[in-house]
Amino acid sequence: MSSKRALVTGGAGFLGSHLCDGLLGEGYSVVVVDSLLTGRHANLEHLRNEAAFEFIEKDICEPFDVGKVDYVFHFASPASPVDYTVHGIPTLRVGSLGTFNALEVALKYNSKYLVSSTSECYGDPLEHPQKETYWGNVNSIGPRSVYDEAKRFTESVTMAYHRYRKVDTRIVRIFNTYGPRMQLNDGRVVPNFMKQALRGEPLTVYGTGSQTRSFCYVSDEVDGFIRLAKSDEHLPVNIGNPNEFTILECARHVINVTGSKSRITYEPLPQDDPKQRCPDITKARQLLGWEPKINLETGLRMSLDYFRKTVAEESAKK
Ligand code: UDP
């Protein structure tokens, strides 16, 4: 994959920016196209003077052309439940129009293509853990549908360009991922709990906290993306950590890692909040030789400096 040029849509986001680092490490030159709707310059600040890196502020819902690229990584989309609820229509637009435009770039330049999909394609799953062959249980008109259905459509368009236009596509289904560069206020559980614990505020567990998630540290996740990018698999592949925790257990881990004296409070469970989520990663293991290496406690410790710094910066602004 060396001496080649990659496009990363959504490269100013949490995952997109870590992917840029990974691709630069692989010898790629990288061009990011991002509208900065939920992405941030701060995530790419460290690449400002990197000769192999370029940033273009643009909304990919309009057709665009950045010149020849060898690889298209399509990562543009709001991705946290709070962000996609606030930006419901842009989420549907980028999953649909944005995906067409990203695929048109790949078609024009005969580029390889990898798109970020999501465990939300499985909705509130009736099969557990979730294999790639499970079709999901999604409420098509519920509050999460702007994201879930956008991503299911993204997968559909991607498979159509693969089948009808012969684009060399890949689809990664990403499960809950955490680490440095997550926005403190994007509403996701890890940044919420970290922020609350570091401020000594109560940790807000929604519902009883018995719902489960499986948390993957960002460097493991990006390693999975890069391995999939090098493979020839066109059907979706789950990339996520198969160690499953209740949200209450997650809260206790955060309290432990931060050494916080915060207590736990309970708030209402959001509508259609999936009761359980855990990837079956047999396919990634067999196909890519991939599995995550960093457990939740270690990953939270590795994220602590970032969250401490970000919480301090935010309180200094007030
Ligand atoms: N959650 C919580 N407290 C918070 C934020 C989230 O209990 O302050 C719960 C949320 O209801 C869900 C889980 O944590 O069950 C993961 O939520 P997140 O928004 O991180 O992502 P999701 O996996 O739902 O897309």
Side-chain angles (χ1 to χ4, degrees):
M1 285 179 41
S2 61
S3 310
K4 301 215 169 162
R5 185 166 185 250
L7 162 66
V8 181
T9 76
F14 163 54
L15 288 180
S17 65
H18 283 283
L19 174 62
C20 290
D21 294 339
L23 292 172
L24 288 161
E26 291 278 325
Y28 264 91
S29 65
V30 173
V31 53
V32 163
V33 176
D34 197 302
S35 69
L36 299 180
L37 179 68
T38 55
R40 296 178 303 157
H41 276 305
N43 290 340
L44 298 170
E45 184 59 32
H46 61 293
L47 301 178
R48 186 202 276 269
N49 297 319
E50 171 64 61
F53 179 77
E54 191 185 341
F55 175 81
I56 299 171
E57 185 173 340
K58 196 184 278 291
D59 181 356
I60 62 157
C61 293
E62 302 300 329
F64 67 100
D65 189 344
V66 295
K68 181 166 170 39
V69 287
D70 303 284
Y71 221 118
V72 174
F73 291 86
H74 177 32
F75 274 64
S77 177
S80 85
V82 167
D83 282 346
Y84 61 68
T85 303
V86 171
H87 303 294
I89 290 173
T91 301
L92 284 160
R93 283 173 60 84
V94 78
S96 52
L97 303 173
T99 301
F100 274 107
N101 291 332
L103 280 158
E104 284 295 325
V105 171
L107 182 63
K108 177 169 182 181
Y109 293 111
N110 198 21
S111 331
K112 292 173 184 267
Y113 173 97
L114 183 150
V115 64
S116 60
S117 185
T118 168
S119 55
E120 284 284 325
C121 286
Y122 303 122
D124 191 1
L126 304 176
E127 182 180 306
H128 193 73
Q130 294 80 53
K131 285 195 190 64
E132 291 87 348
T133 46
Y134 177 49
W135 288 0
N137 176 39
V138 171
N139 176 357
S140 64
I141 55 167
R144 297 175 89 100
S145 70
V146 291
Y147 185 62
D148 300 10
E149 297 294 11
K151 286 295 190 182
R152 286 163 69 98
F153 186 76
T154 295
E155 291 196 0
S156 176
V157 187
T158 297
M159 288 309 297
Y161 269 69
H162 176 65
R163 293 189 176 117
Y164 298 113
R165 303 276 161 82
K166 309 294 173 221
V167 177
D168 188 2
T169 59
R170 290 145 197 83
I171 298 171
V172 57
R173 290 199 182 133
I174 302 171
F175 285 65
N176 295 65
T177 306
Y178 67 99
R181 298 188 202 149
M182 291 189 97
Q183 291 208 52
L184 214 49
N185 297 317
D186 79 2
R188 279 189 274 213
V189 66
V190 169
N192 261 16
F193 285 174
M194 282 293 218
K195 175 179 70 179
Q196 292 161 343
L198 291 168
R199 287 182 184 160
E201 295 168 356
L203 272 61
T204 53
V205 166
Y206 301 158
T208 60
S210 61
Q211 70 273 33
T212 68
R213 294 293 186 274
S214 311
F215 300 98
C216 192
Y217 189 70
V218 64
S219 60
D220 278 336
E221 193 70 32
V222 170
D223 178 36
F225 301 161
I226 288 177
R227 284 174 191 246
L228 179 59
K230 292 175 180 173
S231 85
D232 292 321
E233 177 62 21
H234 302 300
L235 296 175
V237 179
N238 290 338
I239 297 288
N241 193 313
N243 290 329
E244 188 179 359
F245 295 88
T246 67
I247 292 304
L248 204 51
E249 286 170 336
C250 174
R252 294 200 176 111
H253 272 293
V254 170
I255 288 174
N256 176 33
V257 162
T258 51
S260 172
K261 298 213 167 8
S262 290
R263 56 188 185 84
I264 288 170
T265 56
Y266 294 87
E267 293 193 356
L269 191 66
Q271 190 191 329
D272 294 342
D273 196 287
K275 284 180 274 308
Q276 51 184 3
R277 182 182 294 153
C278 179
D280 182 318
I281 61 163
T282 308
K283 186 171 177 181
R285 277 197 179 106
Q286 288 174 351
L287 193 75
L288 312 175
W290 178 85
E291 62 180 0
K293 298 184 178 65
I294 297 169
N295 68 29
L296 181 58
E297 191 175 331
T298 307
L300 289 174
R301 287 192 195 288
M302 289 163 75
S303 312
L304 196 52
D305 277 353
Y306 164 78
F307 282 111
R308 260 196 229 289
K309 188 166 157 273
T310 314
V311 165
E313 279 167 5
E314 198 160 271
S315 61
K317 275 191 222 148
K318 285 183 186 153

